[in-house]
Amino acid sequence: RVPFGGGGYLRAYPLRLTKALFRKIERHGRPGIVYLHPWELDPKQPAVQAPLLRRIRHRLGIPKMEGKLIDLLKSMRFGTLAQHAKEISAQWKT
């Protein structure tokens, strides 16, 4: 079990690794979830006042985050949680 779908993990991991992890869970018939905070797309946000390691972790990957997200959305199939719930519900009815 490796966290990878959002936040610091999505910013820190190489895009190839993120895609490979999404494909792996898809092969097992499980959905993946992408989540992020709006500030993770803003490379010009003010610096966080925190100890050095926390500041580094907070800024890590932000300059590339928008490109990663666009690439993921173009290369993989995504939907909403409501759509997934509807699909699961339909499967239970059959």
Side-chain angles (χ1 to χ4, degrees):
R1 296 179 184 238
V2 177
F4 67 92
Y9 303 107
L10 183 56
R11 288 186 284 118
Y13 291 173
L15 184 57
R16 287 178 56 175
L17 175 60
T18 300
K19 285 181 175 182
L21 292 167
F22 269 116
R23 285 190 296 269
K24 181 177 181 179
I25 64 167
E26 185 179 41
R27 283 192 301 270
H28 292 283
R30 297 184 325 201
I33 294 177
V34 172
Y35 68 92
L36 57 114
H37 303 279
W39 61 262
E40 293 178 293
L41 295 168
D42 182 7
K44 295 180 182 176
Q45 66 178 283
V48 172
Q49 297 300 316
L52 179 62
L53 186 57
R54 187 172 290 167
R55 287 194 318 262
I56 291 170
R57 190 176 65 223
H58 182 81
R59 299 290 305 173
L60 182 68
I62 289 176
K64 295 182 179 181
M65 184 65 155
E66 183 178 359
K68 281 184 177 182
L69 185 59
I70 289 169
D71 191 300
L72 279 173
L73 292 172
K74 285 181 176 180
S75 63
M76 305 185 100
R77 181 179 157 253
F78 287 94
T80 65
L81 288 174
Q83 290 168 330
H84 179 67
K86 188 176 180 179
E87 289 175 16
I88 295 298
S89 176
Q91 291 174 4
W92 282 93
K93 291 179 182 179
T94 57

